[in-house]
Amino acid sequence: MSKLYTARDIEALIAKGADLTDAANGRLTPMARDLLRQQKIKPGKPAAAANPSGTPRIHEPALPDYEYHWIPGGDPKTAAEIEKFFYSPEIQVIKERICHIGRRIWDKGYVDGNGGNITVRVGDNLVLCTPTLISKGFMTPDDLCLVDLDGNQVAGTRPRTSEVNTHLGIMKNEPKAKSCVHAHPVYATAFAVAGVTPPACLIPEPEVFLGEIGLASYQTPGTPENAREVGALAKKHQSILMQNHGVICWGKDVEDAYWKMENTDAFCQTVTVTMQLGGPKQYGTDKLRELIQLRQKLGMPDHRLDELKECELCDAGDTTVNTAPQPSASSCSCQIGPEPSGGEPDEALVQQITDLIMKQLK
Ligand SMILES: [Zn+2]
């Protein structure tokens, strides 16, 4: 029997720049098939002819695109059409990715018991979601559900999670949000329980790939109030701490949304450890401006340059919804002058941040 190619096999071949002809003609898992299509190679058809010179073929480097694109106005309508769509190969691939991310959030200890939930938007009015009362580490594609944007379940044998409403609140407010991941990772959830967000101007990567973390005031999970509260923040924030609850992140696909979750928890963990080492030292707002511009160039939204004054950039915390005092309120106010010429951050400023976060974490 011919070799069965998995997505991992295909990724390895692509990474090596190897010819994909054999794989395209071999037996393929659904995700492997999808990866080949993203390389513009039709499974079952030979790849482009080998280079007659015999030298290795050069592939144009390209990022894989896992974002789900549907035809606007083309959602299946009848029950039979929805059922067929729900069990189609293209949706099977997305279901497998959701289960894969479920396994990863469980492996990382971001969820316990039946906690957390995941969604992927697959139409104008259709969203795949995880079911209620299930461990995210042990789901199979058959466990998943399909809902409309009002939360009505339209396919799937298990009942959908009640927290899907929060995900839908995000998707209704921000069309770029094609997937949401909600979990309770310990460090980020601790910040949510304390009612604080990490200050800006500390680490470059979160500024570029995560943006400013939002903070939603406490509402009962799964309620319309929580969906409204969190949804209203989605345009400005891809990662939102839900006070006294956990974290929800959105992205263009499920892996992207999951990355934001990892970024958020790692950032909160680093800030927590930094507190034990004497507190953070911030870089200047000019450097933050460069990072935000880089983020915008990568196509990720960021409201800070449009809405904040230069001297407010390092304040970067959401003071409009936070019921607890923010570290940002004193971290880099407009009254405080620029960084000293020696490049050393203001010690009093560092102490202010440290004291405020420590006070709130205690
Ligand atoms: Zn939750």
Side-chain angles (χ1 to χ4, degrees), residues 116-117 163 182 184 245:
N117 26 74
E163 287 191 286
H182 163 55
H184 313 130
H245 179 182

